[in-house]
Structure formats: structure tokens, C-alpha cells
Amino acid sequence: MRLTVLGYQSPFPAADGATPGYLLEVEGKRILIDCGSGVLAQLIKRCKPYDLDLVLLSHLHHDHLSDFFILQYALLMGKQQQKRIKPLSVWAPSEPKSWFQKLAYRDYIQLESITEEESLEFDNLKISFFLTDHGIPCYAMKIEYDGKVILYGADAGPQTDWTRMASEPDLFICEASFLHQDLPIQPIGHLSARQAALAANQIKAKSLLLTHLYPELDPSLLKQEAEQVYRRELWIAEMGLEIKL
Ligand SMILES: [Zn+2]
């Protein structure tokens, strides 16, 4: 498996940046996880957008979704130029319904709703979904392939129960939206770097990738905060970062 960071900032991108998006490549399949602002411009350095095999959207907030509507146009062009024949499989939560309905696009997309009950299995890959603590239905994703496990935490507040999702994942991708001192008094469905590191310890994650970073915050401060708590391999997201498992 190879995971490439295509976007990691939120709620808006820095110059030449992008809000969340990740390319997962496994057995020649290309899976796009989230599709925020600026993600397509990064994806296109690696593959044609109409060559994707699967798109997974953790939730329907704009920072994870906005470039999806441009991807629809890429599929339209791919079809018109006969570069892609079959519809693109897209999995997303079915709420908020008004946004879910907008994901469908002619017959270019095969739209499926994500639930906890149903996992996605093909080839030797299995992806299961778990609700997180967030303002709208938002799903973490457990990705299993060839004995390796990636847990993508999506957006998640402090009430998220990580322990039911995975134990000792090889890679835990966790949001770190704040420095701990800047956490809002009322939790708003996001974590500090310290909380991300504590969550990683709780599930004994073998490595941790901090993401969903505020573009005006120095990432090294977030890394330092997490390092005080989490002692194993720690990455901070940056554009084009590749992690092979
Ligand atoms: Zn977000």
C-alpha cells in the first residue's frame, strides 16, 4: 500500500496548498480518500482524475468535498473522449441529504452510502467505516491489506471512540486541528495535536500522521506537542508526502 498526501490543510488551503485528500494505491488500484479544495491539482501529478477506481468521502463538509464537483467534470470529459467507460464508484455518508444528492452525476458515478454495517471488500483489500464525533455524520476508515492496517480518522472530536476501530494499526492518520492551548471551550468535533497523540497511544498505533492542519499555524509546534506524548514514529502532513506500508 502507498498513501500519498494530496491535501492536509483546513478549513482553507495555504498558498499552493489543499484541504484534505489522500491517494491510496494498492494492487494497481487508485483510491481517492476525500477531495478537498486543491486536491485535483495534486492528484493530476500522479494520475488522470478519470482513471480513479474508487472515491471515499469521509463526510460532506466542504473542506473534504469541494473538488469533487470538479472531478465530476473530469469524468464528463473522460467519458466524452472515451478515456473512461464505466461509472466511478463513490462512497459517502447519505447525510446531509441535499449534499449527498449533489454527488450523483448523470451515469458517470455509481453512488453508494457509507454505513457502519457495510464494509467494502475487493481484491485483498477491506475497508470498514466507523462514526466519529463530528457535527454531521463523519466516518473514520479502517483499511486492511496484506496484514497491514491504516486507520484514517477523518474529522473527529474528543468523544470519538477509537478503541472499537483498531488496535495497533500500522498507521493512524489523525487530525490535529489545534494546539492544545487553543482548543475552543466547547468541543466542536476536532482535536488538538496532544489529543491526537493520546488517541494514538490509546490504540497503540505503530505510527502517527498528523493532518487537518490550520494553514496559519507552524506545523512544527503541532509536531512538538504530539512528540511530548507519543514516542513512536510521527509524521506531520505535507504536500506529496508518501508513506509505504
Ligand atoms: Zn475537515
Side-chain angles (χ1 to χ4, degrees):
M1 278 193 288
R2 181 170 63 187
L3 182 103
T4 306
V5 176
L6 304 179
Y8 62 93
Q9 290 151 334
S10 182
F12 57 91
D16 300 322
T19 67
Y22 310 88
L23 179 64
L24 179 70
E25 293 167 282
V26 51
E27 284 195 356
K29 294 268 193 309
R30 299 185 185 102
I31 301 168
L32 179 64
I33 301 173
D34 285 338
C35 193
S37 170
V39 164
L40 277 196
Q42 300 298 319
L43 176 71
I44 225 146
K45 296 175 185 173
R46 292 157 181 91
C47 73
K48 302 291 185 190
Y50 44 76
D51 284 340
L52 287 168
D53 295 287
L54 174 66
V55 175
L56 305 172
L57 300 174
S58 63
H59 66 300
L60 303 182
H61 276 154
H62 301 188
D63 56 327
H64 297 251
L65 180 63
S66 61
D67 263 14
F68 182 81
F69 300 105
I70 304 304
L71 176 59
Q72 290 178 334
Y73 293 155
L75 294 173
L76 167 75
M77 299 310 292
K79 177 101 173 196
Q80 283 184 355
Q81 297 171 359
Q82 297 183 334
K83 291 171 177 165
R84 183 188 184 98
I85 309 298
K86 61 177 189 175
L88 176 62
S89 181
V90 175
W91 289 56
S94 57
E95 299 284 342
K97 194 160 246 55
S98 59
W99 284 104
F100 182 71
Q101 288 167 341
K102 287 187 176 79
L103 303 180
Y105 189 58
R106 306 190 193 179
D107 59 350
Y108 309 145
I109 286 170
Q110 168 92 35
L111 187 58
E112 309 280 351
S113 62
I114 289 178
T115 64
E116 287 206 349
E117 286 69 40
E118 207 167 344
S119 54
L120 206 166
E121 286 181 59
F122 61 92
D123 299 337
N124 297 309
L125 186 74
K126 180 179 180 190
I127 304 173
S128 20
F129 304 96
F130 301 88
L131 274 168
T132 68
D133 165 25
H134 201 56
I136 59 170
C138 177
Y139 288 87
M141 301 174 197
K142 181 184 186 183
I143 300 155
E144 297 169 84
Y145 175 75
D146 198 22
K148 299 285 184 185
V149 175
I150 298 173
L151 180 62
Y152 170 52
D155 284 15
Q159 298 306 314
T160 303
D161 181 1
W162 301 107
T163 58
R164 70 193 186 97
M165 301 181 195
S167 175
E168 301 184 47
D170 296 277
L171 174 63
F172 179 32
I173 304 168
C174 190
E175 71 142 273
S177 295
F178 302 103
L179 285 171
H180 204 68
Q181 67 192 30
D182 299 333
L183 268 181
I185 295 165
Q186 293 290 335
I188 54 161
H190 292 292
L191 298 176
S192 68
R194 177 180 164 79
Q195 288 172 321
L198 288 170
N201 280 344
Q202 192 184 22
I203 59 171
K204 301 185 173 66
K206 292 175 189 165
S207 65
L208 172 63
L209 169 62
L210 296 178
T211 189
H212 205 274
L213 313 181
Y214 186 60
E216 296 183 357
L217 199 56
D218 177 357
S220 67
L221 296 178
L222 293 161
K223 192 169 185 217
Q224 282 167 22
E225 182 171 287
E227 276 170 347
Q228 288 169 9
V229 175
Y230 180 78
R231 307 278 180 208
R232 299 169 98 172
E233 192 164 18
L234 176 65
W235 286 281
I236 188 116
E238 58 182 270
M239 212 58 100
L241 174 70
E242 287 184 7
I243 299 176
K244 292 192 185 107
L245 290 170

